[in-house]
Amino acid sequence: MVKKLIRHGNSAALVIDKPIMEILNITNETTFGLSTDGRNIILSPQTEHSQENNILYSLEKINKQYGAVLKKLGE
């Protein structure tokens, strides 16, 4: 299947046909991770579990970097 990008404001959009969405079990509300291997664009539907892991990772990173400051602010 060949697709073209369409203009969406100052950006570009790719329309995903309904049959493809049904096969992938995605909806208009599905969030995606976007990555590239340098040649291809890779869209990966994010699950709640993946989002939870991303949040936990971010919290750990913030606590490592700013833990002492946050603790002082809490006092």
Side-chain angles (χ1 to χ4, degrees):
M1 173 183 300
V2 176
K3 298 292 249 174
K4 285 188 176 184
L5 295 175
I6 60 168
R7 187 170 183 83
H8 185 74
N10 289 332
S11 300
L14 181 66
V15 176
I16 302 172
D17 298 325
K18 189 173 182 176
I20 301 296
M21 291 176 67
E22 289 172 352
I23 289 170
L24 296 174
N25 196 28
I26 59 174
T27 67
N28 291 339
E29 286 75 38
T30 303
T31 57
F32 291 87
L34 178 71
S35 59
T36 181
D37 62 5
R39 182 162 166 73
N40 300 294
I41 297 171
I42 303 161
L43 290 174
S44 303
Q46 300 293 294
T47 62
E48 288 181 31
H49 182 67
S50 294
Q51 290 173 351
E52 182 179 319
N53 285 343
N54 289 340
I55 291 169
L56 292 175
Y57 172 76
S58 295
L59 287 173
E60 287 176 17
K61 188 174 173 182
I62 289 168
N63 279 329
K64 252 185 219 178
Q65 189 169 3
Y66 302 108
V69 174
L70 292 171
K71 191 172 185 176
K72 282 184 181 181
L73 285 172
E75 294 174 351

Short mmCIF file of all heavy atoms in Angstrom, two decimals:
data_model
loop_
_atom_site.label_atom_id
_atom_site.label_comp_id
_atom_site.label_asym_id
_atom_site.label_seq_id
_atom_site.Cartn_x
_atom_site.Cartn_y
_atom_site.Cartn_z
N MET A 1 0.84 -1.16 0.00
CA MET A 1 0.00 0.00 0.00
C MET A 1 0.90 1.24 0.00
O MET A 1 1.79 1.37 0.83
CB MET A 1 -0.89 -0.02 1.25
CG MET A 1 -1.69 1.22 1.44
SD MET A 1 -2.68 1.27 2.95
CE MET A 1 -3.75 -0.12 2.75
N VAL A 2 0.65 2.13 -0.91
CA VAL A 2 1.42 3.37 -1.01
C VAL A 2 0.54 4.50 -0.50
O VAL A 2 -0.63 4.60 -0.84
CB VAL A 2 1.83 3.64 -2.48
CG1 VAL A 2 2.53 4.97 -2.61
CG2 VAL A 2 2.69 2.51 -2.99
N LYS A 3 1.10 5.35 0.36
CA LYS A 3 0.37 6.48 0.93
C LYS A 3 1.17 7.75 0.73
O LYS A 3 2.40 7.71 0.61
CB LYS A 3 0.16 6.28 2.44
CG LYS A 3 -0.66 5.09 2.82
CD LYS A 3 -2.07 5.26 2.39
CE LYS A 3 -2.97 5.41 3.59
NZ LYS A 3 -4.33 5.71 3.27
N LYS A 4 0.48 8.88 0.70
CA LYS A 4 1.13 10.19 0.63
C LYS A 4 0.79 10.95 1.89
O LYS A 4 -0.28 10.78 2.47
CB LYS A 4 0.63 10.98 -0.58
CG LYS A 4 1.18 10.52 -1.90
CD LYS A 4 0.77 11.49 -2.99
CE LYS A 4 1.41 11.07 -4.30
NZ LYS A 4 1.13 12.04 -5.36
N LEU A 5 1.71 11.79 2.31
CA LEU A 5 1.44 12.67 3.44
C LEU A 5 0.49 13.76 3.00
O LEU A 5 0.52 14.20 1.84
CB LEU A 5 2.74 13.30 3.94
CG LEU A 5 3.77 12.35 4.54
CD1 LEU A 5 5.06 13.11 4.87
CD2 LEU A 5 3.23 11.67 5.78
N ILE A 6 -0.36 14.21 3.92
CA ILE A 6 -1.26 15.33 3.63
C ILE A 6 -0.88 16.49 4.53
O ILE A 6 -0.31 16.30 5.61
CB ILE A 6 -2.74 14.95 3.81
CG1 ILE A 6 -3.03 14.51 5.25
CG2 ILE A 6 -3.15 13.87 2.83
CD1 ILE A 6 -4.51 14.40 5.55
N ARG A 7 -1.18 17.68 4.09
CA ARG A 7 -0.86 18.88 4.86
C ARG A 7 -1.84 18.98 6.04
O ARG A 7 -3.03 18.79 5.90
CB ARG A 7 -0.97 20.11 3.98
CG ARG A 7 -0.50 21.36 4.65
CD ARG A 7 -0.40 22.49 3.60
NE ARG A 7 0.11 23.69 4.20
CZ ARG A 7 1.39 23.95 4.38
NH1 ARG A 7 2.29 23.07 3.99
NH2 ARG A 7 1.79 25.06 4.94
N HIS A 8 -1.28 19.29 7.21
CA HIS A 8 -2.08 19.46 8.43
C HIS A 8 -1.51 20.66 9.17
O HIS A 8 -0.56 20.52 9.95
CB HIS A 8 -2.02 18.19 9.29
CG HIS A 8 -2.89 18.23 10.49
ND1 HIS A 8 -4.24 18.11 10.40
CD2 HIS A 8 -2.59 18.40 11.80
CE1 HIS A 8 -4.75 18.18 11.62
NE2 HIS A 8 -3.76 18.37 12.49
N GLY A 9 -2.02 21.86 8.86
CA GLY A 9 -1.45 23.09 9.41
C GLY A 9 -0.05 23.27 8.84
O GLY A 9 0.15 23.22 7.64
N ASN A 10 0.93 23.45 9.73
CA ASN A 10 2.33 23.59 9.30
C ASN A 10 3.04 22.25 9.29
O ASN A 10 4.25 22.19 9.09
CB ASN A 10 3.09 24.55 10.24
CG ASN A 10 2.65 25.97 10.03
OD1 ASN A 10 2.21 26.36 8.96
ND2 ASN A 10 2.75 26.77 11.08
N SER A 11 2.31 21.18 9.54
CA SER A 11 2.89 19.84 9.62
C SER A 11 2.35 18.96 8.51
O SER A 11 1.63 19.42 7.63
CB SER A 11 2.56 19.22 10.98
OG SER A 11 3.06 20.01 12.03
N ALA A 12 2.71 17.69 8.58
CA ALA A 12 2.20 16.70 7.63
C ALA A 12 1.58 15.57 8.41
O ALA A 12 1.96 15.29 9.55
CB ALA A 12 3.33 16.18 6.75
N ALA A 13 0.59 14.91 7.81
CA ALA A 13 -0.11 13.81 8.48
C ALA A 13 -0.21 12.63 7.52
O ALA A 13 -0.20 12.78 6.31
CB ALA A 13 -1.50 14.25 8.91
N LEU A 14 -0.28 11.46 8.11
CA LEU A 14 -0.47 10.24 7.34
C LEU A 14 -1.80 9.64 7.78
O LEU A 14 -2.01 9.40 8.96
CB LEU A 14 0.66 9.25 7.62
CG LEU A 14 0.62 7.94 6.86
CD1 LEU A 14 0.82 8.18 5.37
CD2 LEU A 14 1.68 7.00 7.38
N VAL A 15 -2.69 9.41 6.84
CA VAL A 15 -4.00 8.86 7.16
C VAL A 15 -3.88 7.34 7.22
O VAL A 15 -3.37 6.70 6.30
CB VAL A 15 -5.05 9.28 6.10
CG1 VAL A 15 -6.39 8.61 6.37
CG2 VAL A 15 -5.19 10.79 6.06
N ILE A 16 -4.37 6.77 8.33
CA ILE A 16 -4.38 5.31 8.48
C ILE A 16 -5.81 4.85 8.23
O ILE A 16 -6.74 5.27 8.92
CB ILE A 16 -3.91 4.90 9.90
CG1 ILE A 16 -2.51 5.43 10.17
CG2 ILE A 16 -3.97 3.38 10.05
CD1 ILE A 16 -2.03 5.25 11.60
N ASP A 17 -5.98 3.99 7.24
CA ASP A 17 -7.32 3.52 6.87
C ASP A 17 -7.94 2.68 7.98
O ASP A 17 -7.24 1.99 8.74
CB ASP A 17 -7.25 2.70 5.58
CG ASP A 17 -6.76 3.52 4.40
OD1 ASP A 17 -7.07 4.72 4.34
OD2 ASP A 17 -6.04 2.96 3.56
N LYS A 18 -9.27 2.72 8.05
CA LYS A 18 -10.01 2.01 9.10
C LYS A 18 -9.69 0.52 9.16
O LYS A 18 -9.50 -0.03 10.25
CB LYS A 18 -11.51 2.25 8.94
CG LYS A 18 -12.31 1.72 10.10
CD LYS A 18 -13.76 2.11 9.99
CE LYS A 18 -14.50 1.58 11.22
NZ LYS A 18 -15.89 2.00 11.21
N PRO A 19 -9.61 -0.20 8.04
CA PRO A 19 -9.28 -1.64 8.12
C PRO A 19 -7.92 -1.90 8.78
O PRO A 19 -7.77 -2.85 9.55
CB PRO A 19 -9.27 -2.10 6.66
CG PRO A 19 -10.14 -1.14 5.95
CD PRO A 19 -9.95 0.17 6.66
N ILE A 20 -6.95 -1.03 8.52
CA ILE A 20 -5.63 -1.18 9.15
C ILE A 20 -5.75 -0.93 10.65
O ILE A 20 -5.17 -1.65 11.47
CB ILE A 20 -4.59 -0.22 8.52
CG1 ILE A 20 -4.44 -0.47 7.03
CG2 ILE A 20 -3.26 -0.30 9.24
CD1 ILE A 20 -3.88 -1.81 6.65
N MET A 21 -6.53 0.10 11.02
CA MET A 21 -6.73 0.40 12.44
C MET A 21 -7.39 -0.77 13.16
O MET A 21 -7.02 -1.10 14.28
CB MET A 21 -7.57 1.67 12.60
CG MET A 21 -6.83 2.93 12.16
SD MET A 21 -7.84 4.42 12.23
CE MET A 21 -8.08 4.59 13.99
N GLU A 22 -8.33 -1.41 12.50
CA GLU A 22 -9.01 -2.56 13.11
C GLU A 22 -8.05 -3.74 13.28
O GLU A 22 -8.06 -4.40 14.31
CB GLU A 22 -10.22 -2.96 12.26
CG GLU A 22 -11.35 -1.95 12.36
CD GLU A 22 -12.49 -2.22 11.40
OE1 GLU A 22 -12.37 -3.11 10.52
OE2 GLU A 22 -13.52 -1.52 11.50
N ILE A 23 -7.22 -3.98 12.29
CA ILE A 23 -6.25 -5.08 12.38
C ILE A 23 -5.29 -4.84 13.55
O ILE A 23 -4.96 -5.76 14.29
CB ILE A 23 -5.44 -5.21 11.06
CG1 ILE A 23 -6.34 -5.76 9.95
CG2 ILE A 23 -4.22 -6.11 11.24
CD1 ILE A 23 -5.71 -5.69 8.56
N LEU A 24 -4.85 -3.59 13.71
CA LEU A 24 -3.89 -3.24 14.77
C LEU A 24 -4.56 -2.99 16.12
O LEU A 24 -3.88 -2.77 17.11
CB LEU A 24 -3.09 -2.01 14.35
CG LEU A 24 -2.20 -2.17 13.13
CD1 LEU A 24 -1.57 -0.85 12.74
CD2 LEU A 24 -1.14 -3.23 13.38
N ASN A 25 -5.90 -3.00 16.12
CA ASN A 25 -6.67 -2.75 17.34
C ASN A 25 -6.31 -1.39 17.94
O ASN A 25 -5.99 -1.27 19.12
CB ASN A 25 -6.46 -3.87 18.36
CG ASN A 25 -7.51 -3.84 19.45
OD1 ASN A 25 -8.63 -3.39 19.23
ND2 ASN A 25 -7.14 -4.31 20.62
N ILE A 26 -6.32 -0.35 17.09
CA ILE A 26 -6.05 1.00 17.54
C ILE A 26 -7.25 1.89 17.24
O ILE A 26 -8.08 1.56 16.40
CB ILE A 26 -4.77 1.59 16.87
CG1 ILE A 26 -4.91 1.60 15.35
CG2 ILE A 26 -3.53 0.83 17.31
CD1 ILE A 26 -3.77 2.28 14.62
N THR A 27 -7.32 3.02 17.94
CA THR A 27 -8.40 3.98 17.74
C THR A 27 -7.78 5.36 17.56
O THR A 27 -6.56 5.53 17.62
CB THR A 27 -9.35 4.03 18.96
OG1 THR A 27 -8.63 4.55 20.08
CG2 THR A 27 -9.90 2.65 19.28
N ASN A 28 -8.64 6.36 17.39
CA ASN A 28 -8.16 7.74 17.26
C ASN A 28 -7.51 8.23 18.55
O ASN A 28 -6.76 9.19 18.54
CB ASN A 28 -9.31 8.67 16.89
CG ASN A 28 -9.82 8.42 15.49
OD1 ASN A 28 -9.12 7.86 14.66
ND2 ASN A 28 -11.04 8.83 15.23
N GLU A 29 -7.80 7.57 19.67
CA GLU A 29 -7.24 7.98 20.96
C GLU A 29 -5.93 7.25 21.30
O GLU A 29 -5.30 7.54 22.31
CB GLU A 29 -8.26 7.73 22.08
CG GLU A 29 -9.41 8.73 22.09
CD GLU A 29 -10.43 8.47 20.99
OE1 GLU A 29 -10.71 7.28 20.70
OE2 GLU A 29 -10.92 9.44 20.40
N THR A 30 -5.53 6.29 20.50
CA THR A 30 -4.32 5.53 20.76
C THR A 30 -3.10 6.43 20.65
O THR A 30 -2.98 7.22 19.72
CB THR A 30 -4.18 4.36 19.75
OG1 THR A 30 -5.33 3.54 19.83
CG2 THR A 30 -2.93 3.53 20.03
N THR A 31 -2.19 6.33 21.63
CA THR A 31 -0.95 7.07 21.55
C THR A 31 0.12 6.16 20.95
O THR A 31 0.06 4.94 21.08
CB THR A 31 -0.49 7.56 22.94
OG1 THR A 31 -0.37 6.44 23.80
CG2 THR A 31 -1.48 8.56 23.51
N PHE A 32 1.09 6.79 20.29
CA PHE A 32 2.13 6.04 19.59
C PHE A 32 3.51 6.50 20.01
O PHE A 32 3.73 7.67 20.27
CB PHE A 32 2.00 6.23 18.07
CG PHE A 32 0.80 5.58 17.47
CD1 PHE A 32 -0.42 6.24 17.42
CD2 PHE A 32 0.88 4.29 16.98
CE1 PHE A 32 -1.53 5.65 16.88
CE2 PHE A 32 -0.23 3.69 16.43
CZ PHE A 32 -1.43 4.36 16.38
N GLY A 33 4.42 5.56 20.03
CA GLY A 33 5.84 5.88 20.14
C GLY A 33 6.36 6.01 18.72
O GLY A 33 6.01 5.22 17.84
N LEU A 34 7.15 7.02 18.47
CA LEU A 34 7.69 7.26 17.14
C LEU A 34 9.20 7.13 17.21
O LEU A 34 9.85 7.73 18.04
CB LEU A 34 7.31 8.67 16.67
CG LEU A 34 7.83 9.10 15.31
CD1 LEU A 34 7.11 8.34 14.21
CD2 LEU A 34 7.64 10.59 15.13
N SER A 35 9.74 6.28 16.34
CA SER A 35 11.18 6.11 16.29
C SER A 35 11.60 5.93 14.83
O SER A 35 10.77 5.85 13.94
CB SER A 35 11.62 4.91 17.13
OG SER A 35 11.01 3.72 16.67
N THR A 36 12.90 5.90 14.63
CA THR A 36 13.41 5.70 13.28
C THR A 36 14.70 4.89 13.35
O THR A 36 15.40 4.92 14.35
CB THR A 36 13.67 7.05 12.57
OG1 THR A 36 14.15 6.79 11.25
CG2 THR A 36 14.65 7.90 13.30
N ASP A 37 14.96 4.19 12.28
CA ASP A 37 16.22 3.46 12.18
C ASP A 37 17.16 4.20 11.23
O ASP A 37 18.17 3.68 10.80
CB ASP A 37 15.99 2.02 11.72
CG ASP A 37 15.35 1.93 10.34
OD1 ASP A 37 15.17 2.98 9.67
OD2 ASP A 37 15.03 0.80 9.92
N GLY A 38 16.79 5.44 10.90
CA GLY A 38 17.59 6.25 9.99
C GLY A 38 17.06 6.24 8.58
O GLY A 38 17.41 7.07 7.77
N ARG A 39 16.21 5.29 8.28
CA ARG A 39 15.63 5.19 6.94
C ARG A 39 14.11 5.03 6.99
O ARG A 39 13.41 5.49 6.13
CB ARG A 39 16.25 4.00 6.21
CG ARG A 39 15.75 3.82 4.81
CD ARG A 39 16.69 2.95 3.99
NE ARG A 39 16.11 2.49 2.75
CZ ARG A 39 15.90 3.24 1.69
NH1 ARG A 39 16.17 4.51 1.72
NH2 ARG A 39 15.38 2.72 0.60
N ASN A 40 13.61 4.36 8.02
CA ASN A 40 12.19 4.07 8.16
C ASN A 40 11.62 4.74 9.39
O ASN A 40 12.31 4.90 10.40
CB ASN A 40 11.97 2.55 8.30
CG ASN A 40 12.48 1.81 7.09
OD1 ASN A 40 11.95 1.96 6.01
ND2 ASN A 40 13.53 1.03 7.28
N ILE A 41 10.35 5.11 9.32
CA ILE A 41 9.63 5.62 10.47
C ILE A 41 8.90 4.44 11.10
O ILE A 41 8.22 3.69 10.41
CB ILE A 41 8.61 6.70 10.07
CG1 ILE A 41 9.33 7.90 9.46
CG2 ILE A 41 7.76 7.12 11.26
CD1 ILE A 41 8.40 8.91 8.85
N ILE A 42 9.04 4.28 12.40
CA ILE A 42 8.42 3.17 13.10
C ILE A 42 7.42 3.73 14.12
O ILE A 42 7.81 4.46 15.03
CB ILE A 42 9.47 2.30 13.81
CG1 ILE A 42 10.49 1.81 12.79
CG2 ILE A 42 8.80 1.15 14.56
CD1 ILE A 42 11.80 1.35 13.37
N LEU A 43 6.14 3.41 13.93
CA LEU A 43 5.08 3.81 14.86
C LEU A 43 4.71 2.60 15.69
O LEU A 43 4.38 1.55 15.15
CB LEU A 43 3.83 4.27 14.11
CG LEU A 43 3.91 5.58 13.36
CD1 LEU A 43 2.65 5.79 12.54
CD2 LEU A 43 4.10 6.72 14.32
N SER A 44 4.74 2.74 17.01
CA SER A 44 4.40 1.63 17.89
C SER A 44 3.30 2.06 18.84
O SER A 44 3.50 2.99 19.63
CB SER A 44 5.62 1.20 18.70
OG SER A 44 6.68 0.86 17.84
N PRO A 45 2.13 1.41 18.77
CA PRO A 45 1.07 1.76 19.72
C PRO A 45 1.58 1.56 21.15
O PRO A 45 2.24 0.57 21.45
CB PRO A 45 -0.05 0.77 19.40
CG PRO A 45 0.24 0.26 18.04
CD PRO A 45 1.73 0.34 17.87
N GLN A 46 1.31 2.55 22.00
CA GLN A 46 1.74 2.48 23.39
C GLN A 46 0.61 1.88 24.23
O GLN A 46 -0.53 2.30 24.11
CB GLN A 46 2.07 3.87 23.92
CG GLN A 46 3.19 4.54 23.15
CD GLN A 46 4.51 3.83 23.34
OE1 GLN A 46 5.04 3.81 24.44
NE2 GLN A 46 5.02 3.24 22.28
N THR A 47 0.96 0.95 25.05
CA THR A 47 -0.02 0.37 25.95
C THR A 47 0.05 1.09 27.28
O THR A 47 1.01 1.81 27.57
CB THR A 47 0.27 -1.13 26.18
OG1 THR A 47 1.55 -1.23 26.80
CG2 THR A 47 0.27 -1.91 24.88
N GLU A 48 -0.96 0.91 28.11
CA GLU A 48 -0.95 1.55 29.43
C GLU A 48 0.29 1.12 30.21
O GLU A 48 0.90 1.91 30.91
CB GLU A 48 -2.21 1.18 30.20
CG GLU A 48 -3.45 1.86 29.66
CD GLU A 48 -4.69 1.51 30.45
OE1 GLU A 48 -4.58 1.26 31.66
OE2 GLU A 48 -5.76 1.50 29.84
N HIS A 49 0.67 -0.14 30.06
CA HIS A 49 1.84 -0.66 30.77
C HIS A 49 3.10 0.08 30.33
O HIS A 49 3.92 0.47 31.16
CB HIS A 49 1.98 -2.17 30.53
CG HIS A 49 3.12 -2.79 31.25
ND1 HIS A 49 3.16 -2.91 32.61
CD2 HIS A 49 4.28 -3.31 30.80
CE1 HIS A 49 4.29 -3.49 32.97
NE2 HIS A 49 4.99 -3.74 31.88
N SER A 50 3.24 0.32 29.04
CA SER A 50 4.41 1.04 28.52
C SER A 50 4.42 2.46 29.04
O SER A 50 5.46 2.98 29.42
CB SER A 50 4.40 1.06 27.00
OG SER A 50 4.56 -0.23 26.48
N GLN A 51 3.26 3.10 29.07
CA GLN A 51 3.17 4.48 29.55
C GLN A 51 3.53 4.52 31.03
O GLN A 51 4.23 5.43 31.48
CB GLN A 51 1.78 5.05 29.33
CG GLN A 51 1.47 5.29 27.86
CD GLN A 51 0.04 5.68 27.62
OE1 GLN A 51 -0.80 5.64 28.51
NE2 GLN A 51 -0.28 6.06 26.39
N GLU A 52 3.06 3.55 31.80
CA GLU A 52 3.38 3.50 33.22
C GLU A 52 4.88 3.35 33.42
O GLU A 52 5.47 4.01 34.26
CB GLU A 52 2.63 2.34 33.88
CG GLU A 52 2.86 2.24 35.37
CD GLU A 52 2.09 1.09 35.99
OE1 GLU A 52 0.93 0.88 35.60
OE2 GLU A 52 2.67 0.41 36.84
N ASN A 53 5.50 2.47 32.63
CA ASN A 53 6.96 2.30 32.73
C ASN A 53 7.70 3.58 32.38
O ASN A 53 8.70 3.91 33.02
CB ASN A 53 7.43 1.16 31.83
CG ASN A 53 7.08 -0.20 32.39
OD1 ASN A 53 6.79 -0.33 33.58
ND2 ASN A 53 7.11 -1.20 31.56
N ASN A 54 7.23 4.30 31.36
CA ASN A 54 7.86 5.56 30.98
C ASN A 54 7.77 6.57 32.10
O ASN A 54 8.72 7.29 32.39
CB ASN A 54 7.23 6.13 29.71
CG ASN A 54 7.56 5.32 28.47
OD1 ASN A 54 8.52 4.57 28.46
ND2 ASN A 54 6.77 5.48 27.43
N ILE A 55 6.61 6.64 32.76
CA ILE A 55 6.42 7.59 33.86
C ILE A 55 7.33 7.21 35.03
O ILE A 55 8.00 8.08 35.61
CB ILE A 55 4.94 7.63 34.30
CG1 ILE A 55 4.10 8.28 33.20
CG2 ILE A 55 4.78 8.38 35.62
CD1 ILE A 55 2.61 8.13 33.39
N LEU A 56 7.39 5.93 35.36
CA LEU A 56 8.23 5.49 36.47
C LEU A 56 9.70 5.77 36.18
O LEU A 56 10.44 6.21 37.05
CB LEU A 56 8.01 4.01 36.76
CG LEU A 56 6.64 3.64 37.33
CD1 LEU A 56 6.49 2.13 37.47
CD2 LEU A 56 6.40 4.32 38.67
N TYR A 57 10.13 5.54 34.96
CA TYR A 57 11.50 5.82 34.57
C TYR A 57 11.80 7.31 34.71
O TYR A 57 12.84 7.71 35.25
CB TYR A 57 11.76 5.36 33.13
CG TYR A 57 13.10 5.79 32.60
CD1 TYR A 57 14.27 5.13 32.99
CD2 TYR A 57 13.22 6.86 31.72
CE1 TYR A 57 15.51 5.54 32.52
CE2 TYR A 57 14.46 7.27 31.25
CZ TYR A 57 15.59 6.60 31.65
OH TYR A 57 16.82 7.01 31.19
N SER A 58 10.86 8.14 34.26
CA SER A 58 11.05 9.58 34.35
C SER A 58 11.13 10.03 35.81
O SER A 58 11.96 10.88 36.16
CB SER A 58 9.90 10.32 33.66
OG SER A 58 9.91 10.05 32.28
N LEU A 59 10.26 9.47 36.66
CA LEU A 59 10.30 9.82 38.08
C LEU A 59 11.62 9.44 38.73
O LEU A 59 12.19 10.20 39.52
CB LEU A 59 9.13 9.16 38.82
CG LEU A 59 7.75 9.77 38.57
CD1 LEU A 59 6.68 8.91 39.22
CD2 LEU A 59 7.68 11.20 39.05
N GLU A 60 12.11 8.26 38.40
CA GLU A 60 13.41 7.83 38.95
C GLU A 60 14.52 8.77 38.51
O GLU A 60 15.38 9.15 39.31
CB GLU A 60 13.73 6.40 38.48
CG GLU A 60 12.90 5.34 39.17
CD GLU A 60 13.18 3.94 38.61
OE1 GLU A 60 14.21 3.75 37.94
OE2 GLU A 60 12.34 3.06 38.84
N LYS A 61 14.50 9.15 37.25
CA LYS A 61 15.51 10.05 36.71
C LYS A 61 15.45 11.41 37.40
O LYS A 61 16.48 11.98 37.78
CB LYS A 61 15.29 10.20 35.20
CG LYS A 61 16.37 10.93 34.47
CD LYS A 61 16.09 10.88 32.98
CE LYS A 61 17.05 11.76 32.22
NZ LYS A 61 16.78 11.78 30.80
N ILE A 62 14.24 11.93 37.59
CA ILE A 62 14.06 13.22 38.27
C ILE A 62 14.53 13.13 39.71
O ILE A 62 15.22 14.03 40.21
CB ILE A 62 12.58 13.67 38.19
CG1 ILE A 62 12.24 14.08 36.76
CG2 ILE A 62 12.30 14.81 39.17
CD1 ILE A 62 10.76 14.25 36.50
N ASN A 63 14.16 12.05 40.40
CA ASN A 63 14.57 11.88 41.79
C ASN A 63 16.09 11.79 41.93
O ASN A 63 16.66 12.30 42.88
CB ASN A 63 13.89 10.67 42.42
CG ASN A 63 12.48 10.98 42.86
OD1 ASN A 63 12.18 12.10 43.24
ND2 ASN A 63 11.62 9.98 42.81
N LYS A 64 16.73 11.11 40.99
CA LYS A 64 18.19 11.01 41.03
C LYS A 64 18.83 12.39 40.89
O LYS A 64 19.76 12.73 41.61
CB LYS A 64 18.69 10.12 39.89
CG LYS A 64 19.20 8.79 40.31
CD LYS A 64 19.78 8.06 39.13
CE LYS A 64 19.40 6.59 39.24
NZ LYS A 64 19.87 5.80 38.12
N GLN A 65 18.32 13.15 39.93
CA GLN A 65 18.94 14.43 39.61
C GLN A 65 18.54 15.53 40.61
O GLN A 65 19.37 16.35 40.98
CB GLN A 65 18.56 14.86 38.20
CG GLN A 65 19.33 16.06 37.71
CD GLN A 65 19.14 16.30 36.22
OE1 GLN A 65 18.38 15.60 35.57
NE2 GLN A 65 19.81 17.29 35.69
N TYR A 66 17.27 15.54 41.03
CA TYR A 66 16.78 16.64 41.84
C TYR A 66 16.24 16.21 43.21
O TYR A 66 15.58 17.00 43.88
CB TYR A 66 15.66 17.39 41.08
CG TYR A 66 16.10 17.93 39.75
CD1 TYR A 66 15.66 17.35 38.56
CD2 TYR A 66 16.95 19.03 39.67
CE1 TYR A 66 16.05 17.85 37.33
CE2 TYR A 66 17.36 19.53 38.45
CZ TYR A 66 16.90 18.95 37.28
OH TYR A 66 17.29 19.45 36.07
N GLY A 67 16.50 15.00 43.62
CA GLY A 67 15.96 14.47 44.86
C GLY A 67 16.24 15.33 46.07
O GLY A 67 15.36 15.62 46.88
N ALA A 68 17.48 15.78 46.22
CA ALA A 68 17.85 16.60 47.38
C ALA A 68 17.11 17.93 47.38
O ALA A 68 16.60 18.36 48.43
CB ALA A 68 19.37 16.83 47.39
N VAL A 69 17.01 18.55 46.24
CA VAL A 69 16.31 19.83 46.14
C VAL A 69 14.83 19.64 46.44
O VAL A 69 14.22 20.43 47.17
CB VAL A 69 16.51 20.46 44.73
CG1 VAL A 69 15.68 21.70 44.57
CG2 VAL A 69 17.97 20.73 44.48
N LEU A 70 14.23 18.60 45.88
CA LEU A 70 12.80 18.33 46.12
C LEU A 70 12.55 18.05 47.61
O LEU A 70 11.52 18.48 48.14
CB LEU A 70 12.33 17.17 45.26
CG LEU A 70 12.30 17.44 43.76
CD1 LEU A 70 12.02 16.15 42.99
CD2 LEU A 70 11.26 18.50 43.43
N LYS A 71 13.46 17.37 48.26
CA LYS A 71 13.32 17.07 49.67
C LYS A 71 13.34 18.36 50.49
O LYS A 71 12.53 18.55 51.40
CB LYS A 71 14.42 16.12 50.13
CG LYS A 71 14.21 15.57 51.51
CD LYS A 71 15.22 14.49 51.81
CE LYS A 71 14.89 13.87 53.16
NZ LYS A 71 15.77 12.75 53.46
N LYS A 72 14.26 19.28 50.14
CA LYS A 72 14.35 20.56 50.85
C LYS A 72 13.06 21.37 50.64
O LYS A 72 12.57 22.03 51.55
CB LYS A 72 15.53 21.36 50.36
CG LYS A 72 16.86 20.91 50.94
CD LYS A 72 17.97 21.82 50.50
CE LYS A 72 19.30 21.33 51.05
NZ LYS A 72 20.42 22.19 50.68
N LEU A 73 12.52 21.33 49.43
CA LEU A 73 11.29 22.06 49.15
C LEU A 73 10.12 21.50 49.97
O LEU A 73 9.22 22.25 50.34
CB LEU A 73 10.94 21.99 47.65
CG LEU A 73 11.78 22.85 46.73
CD1 LEU A 73 11.45 22.53 45.29
CD2 LEU A 73 11.51 24.32 46.99
N GLY A 74 10.16 20.21 50.22
CA GLY A 74 9.09 19.56 50.99
C GLY A 74 9.15 19.83 52.48
O GLY A 74 8.21 19.55 53.21
N GLU A 75 10.25 20.37 52.95
CA GLU A 75 10.40 20.62 54.40
C GLU A 75 9.74 21.91 54.82
O GLU A 75 9.53 22.81 54.17
CB GLU A 75 11.89 20.66 54.78
CG GLU A 75 12.55 19.33 54.61
CD GLU A 75 14.05 19.37 54.85
OE1 GLU A 75 14.64 20.47 54.99
OE2 GLU A 75 14.66 18.29 54.89
#
